[in-house]
């Protein structure tokens, strides 16, 4: 019998290099999870890294993607001039 309850699974990795290098590393990790029986997730929440999404499309093509709100907002604020940003949007360095 297959258990269909939603279970959060957190993955993280420190990767340096190009988005292609990152994609290869994430794809290898996802293929390993798949080989160990992880069915295609219904939803994957990530930090907007292009390599992560590319690997997800390769390994789990039907999984839905959602950007982490903290990272999405931090990325938008990073693109704006620093002067008009309100102080309450100062994120710790680990989130940018």
């Amino acid at each position: 019998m297959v258990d269909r309850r939603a279970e959060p699974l957190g993955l993280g990795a420190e990767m340096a290099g190009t988005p292609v290098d990152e994609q290869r590393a994430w794809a290898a990790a996802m293929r390993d999870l798949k080989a160990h029986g992880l069915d295609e997730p219904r939803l994957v929440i990530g930090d907007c890294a292009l390599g992560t999404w590319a690997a997800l499309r390769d390994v789990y093509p039907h999984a839905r993607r959602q950007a982490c709100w903290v990272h999405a907002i931090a990325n938008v604020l990073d693109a704006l001039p620093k002067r008009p940003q309100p102080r309450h949007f100062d994120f710790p360095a680990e989130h940018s």
Side-chain angles (χ1 to χ4, degrees):
M1 180 176 201
V2 176
D3 184 357
R4 294 288 181 194
R5 291 178 298 156
E7 295 288 338
L9 173 65
L11 295 175
E14 291 292 326
M15 291 180 236
T18 67
V20 172
D21 296 332
E22 184 179 314
Q23 176 186 354
R24 288 183 187 135
W26 276 114
M30 290 178 198
R31 279 192 210 95
D32 188 49
L33 289 170
K34 192 174 191 177
H36 283 86
L38 180 68
D39 291 333
E40 184 154 17
R42 290 184 180 180
L43 176 66
V44 175
I45 301 171
D47 65 358
C48 305
L50 297 178
T52 307
W53 298 136
L56 186 64
R57 278 192 307 274
D58 290 345
V59 181
Y60 292 114
H62 301 290
R64 295 178 72 181
R65 301 181 312 254
Q66 178 178 319
C68 162
W69 282 103
V70 170
H71 285 91
I73 291 170
N75 289 342
V76 168
L77 290 176
D78 267 353
L80 295 174
K82 300 300 178 208
R83 197 156 221 221
Q85 292 183 18
R87 282 187 118 348
H88 63 276
F89 281 122
D90 289 339
F91 289 106
E94 65 200 41
H95 292 294
S96 55

